[in-house]
Amino acid sequence: MSSERKNLLIGPISPAADGALYQQIVDRIKREIAEDRLKPGTALPSFRQFAEDLLVSVITVKRAYEELEREGIIYRRQGLGTFVAERGDDRSREAKLAAAKELLRNGFREAAEAGLNPDELAELAREILEKKNEHQRH
Amino acid sequence: MNTNAIEIRKLVKNYPAFTLGPVDLTVPRGAIYGLIGPNGAGKTTALDMIFGMGRNDSGTIRVLGLDHRADEVAVKQRAAYVSPDLNFQVWGKVGKAIRFVRGFYPGWDDACCTTLMHAFHLDSGDKITTLSFGAKTKLSLLLALSRRPEILILDEPTTGLDAISKQQVFAELLKAVEDGERTVLISSHGLSDLERFTDHIGMIKNGKVLLEGRTDEIVDRFRLAEFFSTNGTTFLNRAGLVILRRTENRWHALLDQNSDAHSWLQSHGATDLSLTRVTLEDLFVALAKEEDK
């Protein structure tokens, strides 16, 4: 049985949000690490316990952990549990950055296809950034 | 130790107007397993037979490595069955029903029972006849869960439950499998719940197994496809492709990514092909439809 409950708050996981449920968990944990709320060496909940907390299947959490382990962001120690890797924050940031570049590339391509020139594109990017900052201030 | 909680092999049961099987189903230990299928597919028949209600004509059912008939008593001690037909009214009050059922099971967990009564808003003094439909379902679930069975089999446990109660039920099921040893087998039409909460899925239709495997892998394997075709090719009856509807030159289909349907479409004049992820419900509807052709 679980000895001590480890709490990890990553916000609700929902089929209404973008991406598969396991991917949402992967993204949220990366964000927690990238924003320094989850530090290297921190123990993560067991996947059965985390499944209970998030109200998703055990397989979903297991898959999310496997994905994070593959990217070197977390690691498993037999019998001890799962932990945030040393430099897991860097790797998390790298992975996020790679994803962001890919999304931006796609966005720019769409915009180019819609007939925007580079200046208009840069202007659009600035507009989006400003709007985002406003949201964050709420 | 055997890693499967339930193994059904070549199970056949003949009725005058319906044949179940041959059915193979494998429920891994520690999993929440969802059995799905259209009405009349044979889900309840299969579940009943695990519990020795109705004798199979051939095939085997092993529960925790035990033969379901030869070791019937041991199986019934270690597995619990919650059916929509259970009726506890004869005991009058909730407390009396609990005391009665408790007496049969040495492993009864009083703390679990108390916690569940609280979570399900049930009281010992409640008269069973006056309980709502949902509360009665919760009572039968409480009686099964408090035995701490190694296998819990649930036939349509969430039918008629509101969204809050449904979530409570699944939260309890996740708790029940937390130690990785206990297993839940659930039949339900609540496909979005099953997609979220089950580790494995088995789909049966007309007495046969159409699909079985990890829920996430099954859902990932299929895509909804939309494409145009103006060359008059007929896309019907192609393996890996289920045509859902067609409006003039625009086709909608379910595509199995484990087949060559994708490249086949492209080489047969399908244009503007776009693929979208499916939900378990999309998959269910498409596959249920396919067999009907």
Side-chain angles (χ1 to χ4, degrees):
Chain A
M1 291 295 292
S2 61
S3 42
E4 171 199 348
R5 288 191 83 83
K6 297 173 190 78
N7 280 313
L8 172 57
L9 299 176
I10 61 166
I13 297 300
S14 165
D18 280 343
L21 294 178
Y22 86 90
Q23 192 60 50
Q24 293 181 36
I25 300 174
V26 167
D27 292 343
R28 303 285 183 77
I29 289 181
K30 281 183 185 169
R31 195 177 65 199
E32 290 301 301
I33 295 172
E35 295 176 0
D36 220 23
R37 285 189 293 270
L38 254 185
K39 300 194 191 315
T42 310
L44 295 178
S46 74
F47 40 67
R48 289 187 179 270
Q49 188 209 315
F50 208 25
E52 245 183 273
D53 294 344
L54 296 174
L55 289 176
V56 297
S57 65
V58 177
I59 282 276
T60 303
V61 179
K62 205 169 164 185
R63 186 156 175 199
Y65 277 22
E66 280 163 3
E67 186 81 26
L68 288 163
E69 204 180 353
R70 209 177 9 256
E71 291 182 33
I73 291 165
I74 64 175
Y75 65 94
R76 221 174 303 176
R77 280 279 169 276
Q78 200 66 44
L80 290 177
T82 308
F83 303 88
V84 178
E86 237 17 270
R87 329 239 358 123
D89 46 348
D90 288 352
R91 291 205 185 85
S92 197
R93 228 169 267 135
E94 270 167 34
K96 281 248 160 249
L97 202 61
K101 274 186 190 158
E102 182 61 27
L103 287 170
L104 281 172
R105 225 174 274 131
N106 284 337
F108 288 158
R109 200 192 54 234
E110 292 266 331
E113 282 168 14
L116 259 58
N117 65 38
D119 286 343
E120 288 166 327
L121 237 166
E123 180 56 33
L124 182 68
R126 245 191 313 278
E127 257 174 49
I128 292 170
L129 271 176
E130 274 159 23
K131 233 177 237 153
K132 183 173 179 284
N133 288 339
E134 265 167 45
H135 277 305
Q136 278 175 349
R137 275 199 294 272
H138 23 218
Chain B
M1 187 179 285
N2 197 322
T3 54
N4 292 324
I6 301 174
E7 289 174 343
I8 297 178
R9 297 289 175 266
K10 300 191 176 73
L11 179 74
V12 176
K13 172 75 181 172
N14 293 300
Y15 294 96
F18 175 74
T19 298
L20 176 76
V23 162
D24 280 33
L25 291 172
T26 306
V27 181
R29 191 185 286 250
I32 297 183
Y33 183 108
L35 187 61
I36 64 175
N39 296 318
K43 301 186 297 289
T44 300
T45 307
L47 296 182
D48 279 352
M49 236 155 354
I50 297 172
F51 258 73
M53 291 180 273
R55 190 185 287 266
N56 44 309
D57 294 322
S58 60
T60 59
I61 302 178
R62 299 195 78 80
V63 181
L64 298 161
L66 303 167
D67 184 89
H68 79 128
R69 292 200 74 90
D71 305 307
E72 191 177 352
V73 175
V75 167
K76 285 185 174 165
Q77 282 288 344
R78 296 169 71 182
Y81 187 22
V82 176
S83 140
D85 303 330
L86 293 180
N87 187 337
F88 300 105
Q89 284 179 18
V90 288
W91 291 301
K93 290 189 175 164
V94 166
K96 202 172 165 198
I98 291 174
R99 280 195 300 282
F100 182 80
V101 174
R102 185 184 187 275
F104 287 97
Y105 301 99
W108 185 269
D109 185 336
D110 281 318
C112 170
C113 181
T114 309
T115 310
L116 285 174
M117 280 182 75
H118 190 76
F120 289 164
H121 301 293
L122 290 167
D123 190 90
S124 307
D126 290 343
K127 271 178 79 172
I128 293 171
T129 47
T130 64
L131 291 179
S132 69
F133 178 79
K136 278 181 201 151
T137 306
K138 286 174 181 171
L139 174 62
S140 45
L141 202 62
L142 172 145
L143 291 172
L145 282 166
S146 301
R147 288 171 47 189
R148 305 282 288 136
E150 287 169 73
I151 299 181
L152 180 59
I153 299 175
L154 306 154
D155 191 10
E156 295 288 352
T158 57
T159 309
L161 292 189
D162 62 44
I164 301 166
S165 303
K166 260 194 277 189
Q167 199 171 75
Q168 275 185 329
V169 167
F170 280 104
E172 293 306 328
L173 297 183
L174 282 169
K175 249 182 233 159
V177 300
E178 204 207 62
D179 62 5
E181 295 295 320
R182 291 167 209 284
T183 307
V184 173
L185 168 59
I186 175 172
S187 95
S188 174
H189 293 297
L191 297 173
S192 58
D193 291 325
L194 291 185
E195 184 172 355
R196 179 168 183 135
F197 293 104
T198 62
D199 303 301
H200 285 249
I201 284 282
M203 179 170 172
I204 58 178
K205 165 113 207 261
N206 297 335
K208 300 269 194 307
V209 179
L210 288 188
L211 274 177
E212 190 186 38
R214 271 175 58 156
T215 310
D216 59 338
E217 290 174 356
I218 285 180
V219 171
D220 271 354
R221 184 177 135 191
F222 295 89
R223 290 287 183 270
L224 288 173
E226 191 190 292
F227 54 91
F228 287 89
S229 171
T230 48
N231 69 1
T233 307
T234 174
F235 296 101
L236 300 169
N237 301 319
R238 168 76 201 178
L241 200 65
V242 183
I243 301 301
L244 301 174
R245 55 182 202 281
R246 174 190 181 180
T247 36
E248 294 180 21
N249 295 328
R250 187 199 205 110
W251 297 71
H252 296 264
L254 180 82
L255 187 147
D256 181 350
Q257 299 191 104
N258 284 2
S259 74
D260 65 349
H262 191 208
S263 51
W264 183 84
L265 274 178
Q266 286 172 320
S267 62
H268 285 76
T271 55
D272 295 302
L273 177 62
S274 68
L275 301 178
T276 318
R277 289 182 60 85
V278 300
T279 62
L280 187 58
E281 186 154 335
D282 295 328
L283 188 59
F284 180 93
V285 169
L287 292 176
K289 196 173 165 162
E290 185 190 29
E291 283 277 296
D292 283 341
K293 287 193 297 224

